[in-house]
């Protein structure tokens, strides 16, 4: 299997949608722009 690189280029948080459809939580996602994950084929990258 080939390795796949996944790069975070943009993040977003929509408080109005979170409030309407979810239970509000402080840190829904800790992924930051510029972070890179490497997957080995179909396997989920560590810390993804």
């Amino acid at each position: 299997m080939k390795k796949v690189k996944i790069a975070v280029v943009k993040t977003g948080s929509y408080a109005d949608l979170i409030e309407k459809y979810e239970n509000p939580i402080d840190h829904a996602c800790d992924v930051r722009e510029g972070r890179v994950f490497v997957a080995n084929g179909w396997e989920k990258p560590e810390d993804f």
Side-chain angles (χ1 to χ4, degrees), residues 23-40:
N23 294 331
I25 53 178
D26 293 333
H27 301 297
C29 182
D30 292 329
V31 177
R32 299 289 175 240
E33 291 179 18
R35 177 96 189 260
V36 176
F37 298 94
V38 178
N40 187 14

